[in-house]
Amino acid sequence: MTHRTPRPLLATLLALTVAAGAVDAVSFLGLGHVFTANMTGNVVFLGFSAAGAAGFSVPASGLAVGGFLVGALLGGRFGVVMEGRPRRLWIGGALAAEALLVGAAAALATGPGGEGRRYAVISVLALAMGLRVATVRRLAVPDMMTVILTRTLTGLAADSRPAGGTDPYLGRRVGSVLAMALGAAAGAWLVNRHGPVWPLALTAGGVALLASGTLLTGVRRARR
């Protein structure tokens, strides 16, 4: 038996997966070898740094993990505060906060160069992604975490018909993989040609549109 999720919510989560791919493209290619959405990668990078591998930064990866944890804490707390209220208002509020944070990261990226600016952008982006993942986790939509694909890919293979399964969630699983790849490709293209500001600004704008649509729908339903 598969979990039935409203199509608008699935569409929103797929769009956020595209955004996560773009954000990690910006952080890895434009801010040094660090992720701001995929924390598994940062833990591995910290191990690389500890072993003396070149091209990785303990401060950058550490700040990303720390910022993500703070964001997740705030996202979890916001979910508790919003309990009992319309779900769309809760999700819309979380998305609005993410859009503001990614927009702030874009603004920071336009400033003078240097390690301080880089670390600030990494921290703010990781904060935004932590808040988002805490929200998505609380939604508990199977195989739709928006920032990681390990479980999704495992389910795609382990639950497939050749493995004796029934291919549950096939559409959303394939969609998640394609969405992440699309976001990463678009983010990489923009970073390589225009630097980190444009992809971050476009991502912030896209998430802001998702937030406004979700909030408006929530307000209309609350008034009925």
Side-chain angles (χ1 to χ4, degrees):
M1 181 178 178
T2 57
H3 184 279
R4 291 187 177 181
T5 305
R7 288 189 177 183
L9 178 56
L10 280 177
T12 296
L13 294 175
L14 284 172
L16 291 175
T17 305
V18 174
V23 166
D24 264 347
V26 170
S27 59
F28 191 85
L29 298 175
L31 301 173
H33 291 166
V34 63
F35 289 120
T36 50
N38 179 1
M39 290 300 114
T40 303
N42 287 319
V43 173
V44 172
F45 293 163
L46 286 169
F48 291 167
S49 300
F56 300 94
S57 166
V58 169
S61 295
L63 282 170
V65 173
F68 187 91
L69 289 173
V70 172
L73 187 154
L74 295 174
R77 185 61 186 169
F78 184 62
V80 170
V81 170
M82 293 297 288
E83 278 184 0
R85 302 184 185 185
R87 187 169 72 167
R88 284 182 175 270
L89 296 181
W90 161 48
I91 298 171
L95 291 177
E98 177 182 336
L100 287 172
L101 287 167
V102 176
L108 286 169
T110 64
E115 289 295 275
R117 177 192 64 85
R118 182 168 77 100
Y119 291 157
V121 175
I122 289 169
S123 298
V124 173
L125 284 177
L127 182 69
M129 293 298 103
L131 189 154
R132 181 224 279 189
V133 174
T135 303
V136 171
R137 178 176 178 271
R138 199 174 184 88
L139 286 169
V141 179
D143 289 314
M144 293 297 292
M145 284 301 293
T146 75
V147 299
I148 52 175
L149 293 176
T150 303
R151 182 172 180 174
T152 301
L153 289 168
T154 301
L156 195 61
D159 295 337
S160 66
R161 295 188 185 280
T166 58
D167 280 330
Y169 312 126
L170 177 63
R172 73 178 63 172
R173 285 168 171 169
V174 173
S176 292
V177 174
L178 293 177
M180 183 74 75
L182 174 63
W189 189 87
L190 287 167
V191 169
N192 288 335
R193 287 160 180 78
H194 305 290
V197 177
W198 269 105
L200 290 178
L202 290 172
T203 298
V207 176
L209 286 175
L210 290 174
S212 61
T214 303
L215 284 169
L216 285 172
T217 303
V219 169
R220 287 170 184 165
R221 291 187 176 182
R223 288 177 175 175
R224 290 178 183 175

